[in-house]
Amino acid sequence: MAARKPYLGLIVSGLISGALYLALYLFHHEIMAAFTRTDGWYPALPVITAFAFSFTHGAFTGYFWEVLGITARHRG
Amino acid sequence: MLEPVAVNFIDLTTANVLSLFVIGFVGGLVSGFIGSGGAFVLTPAMMSMGVAGVVAVASNMCHKFPKALVGAYKRYRFGHVDIKLGLVMAATASVGVWVGADIQQHVKFNYGEAGSNLYVSLSFVIVLAIVGSYVLRDAIRIYRTGDTHAEDRTSRLAAWVQSVEIPGTMIHFKTANVRVSVLFTIPLGLATGMLAATIAVGGFIGVPGMMYVLGAPALVASATELVTAFVMGLGGSIKYALHGLIDIRLTLILLAGSLFGIQLGAIGTTFVKPYLIKVVMAAIMLIVAVSRALMVPVYLTELGKLGLAPDTLAVLKHASFALLVLALCTGGIIISGAMLHGHRRIKPTLKDQPQAATE
């Protein structure tokens, strides 16, 4: 029997990931100005952002393939 | 506070965004499958869009570590990752990155930009030709014996390495199922880091090294490399961020595509015969070696050692870039084809034995 597909997870993570990318598009001038500063804690911004996107967008892409039915054949 | 480096950040067009997304996707697919290998095409691709070399390297690096993290997590769930081995390799690889970057700077200082490019290209050609041929020979041997479903056979070198007992240095790597002296991981880690600093793809030494020197299975080696790549990528990204060199837009657009790719590549490893990882790796390595070999006369001309016509140089540059793209696409096509084939092969079995899918 096929397991229930994670539609809710896909929608929630998709919305968060989409919102983050939309924010990047809308505020790219401000983001680029802040993210290339080298004083204080500003250098941490690109690294933290990359982590944040990897969690939200990573979750979304994981659900995406699962909902399409492309899942691992076996787990070790 | 570190001085910001004066660089221009480009305006992105829709075409640029789409190309980065697609290249990111295919690069991610290859990385999820063989542990690394998507990065070599991204830096030249970004540079051809007008991104400054150092920004291309920095933005590529900052997209690699989150991608490796997602890939490592996924493959950890499949039981492929040996975290201890990945971290032990990462410890010396970090030193290797530092040494590699130092050598790189020394070459650049003494021989200029063209000298540095020549050094990078020659490193590519020598390492990829030697290691790629070895991996290909092994893959062909497995194919000829017809035993493509078999677990990896331990190489003679790995058997010797495993037999050496050095008291106080022995470590058991559980998932890789090997017990070796930690001293053997030091040159491997160093070489992986130095290669990563030089050509941005340390996995071309790390993965074959874990397979043929330590005796780890191909599946475990390719997955464990993602842990090493994560640690190295994080360290490198912090370094570039401190100089304000990361174009976060490029990083996040690459991530948008590569996180789709890396998940698919990781899933792909559960569908295919283990030897296919070696086939993909060898194919990519050898095509990239040819691509970089074509650039050697270009840099020699820039250094004044050869006198090629501008038209010839342009042809060589285009052919070299086309081959890089071809290498990545070849990897992508082999992986997709193998997944489709594996999926079709499993389907009839699933009808007969529904529980086989969840074993």
Side-chain angles (χ1 to χ4, degrees), chain A residues 2-63:
Chain A
R4 214 178 122 76
K5 290 186 172 175
Y7 289 108
L8 185 66
L10 178 78
I11 293 167
V12 172
S13 59
L15 284 175
I16 299 173
S17 178
L20 285 173
Y21 274 102
L22 185 65
L24 173 73
Y25 177 71
L26 293 177
F27 303 107
H28 67 270
H29 288 301
E30 292 83 351
I31 290 172
M32 281 302 289
F35 280 44
T36 49
R37 283 177 65 166
T38 56
D39 53 322
W41 284 91
Y42 282 100
L45 287 175
V47 176
I48 293 169
T49 308
F51 265 118
F53 274 73
S54 73
F55 286 119
T56 52
H57 190 56
F60 171 66
T61 54
Y63 288 130

Side-chain angles (χ1 to χ4, degrees), chain A residues 21 38 43 57-58 61 65 73 76, chain B residues 2 78 241 252 256 260 263 270 346:
Chain A
Y21 274 102
T38 56
H57 190 56
T61 54
W65 293 120
R73 182 183 161 198
Chain B
L2 289 166
F78 304 153
L252 296 179
F260 278 107
Q263 302 255 12
T270 67
I346 294 158

Side-chain angles (χ1 to χ4, degrees), chain B residues 222-286:
Chain B
S222 63
T224 300
E225 176 61 27
L226 290 167
V227 177
T228 311
F230 165 72
V231 177
M232 284 195 295
L234 181 58
S237 300
I238 292 170
K239 194 185 94 184
Y240 286 119
L242 286 170
H243 287 94
L245 289 169
I246 296 169
D247 187 334
I248 195 74
R249 301 167 308 165
L250 299 175
T251 297
L252 296 179
I253 297 165
L254 287 174
L255 261 185
S258 72
L259 291 185
F260 278 107
I262 199 150
Q263 302 255 12
L264 190 62
I267 294 167
T269 58
T270 67
F271 275 88
V272 302
K273 303 163 186 171
Y275 95 104
L276 207 82
I277 290 174
K278 294 176 181 172
V279 173
V280 173
M281 191 158 212
I284 290 179
M285 288 172 90
L286 293 173

Side-chain angles (χ1 to χ4, degrees), chain B residues 38-70:
Chain B
F40 60 81
V41 78
L42 293 176
T43 306
M46 283 190 273
M47 285 169 73
S48 71
M49 289 173 189
V51 180
V54 65
V55 175
V57 172
S59 310
N60 186 2
M61 179 83 82
C62 191
H63 120 277
K64 261 169 70 177
F65 83 82
K67 177 181 78 172
L69 176 69
V70 170

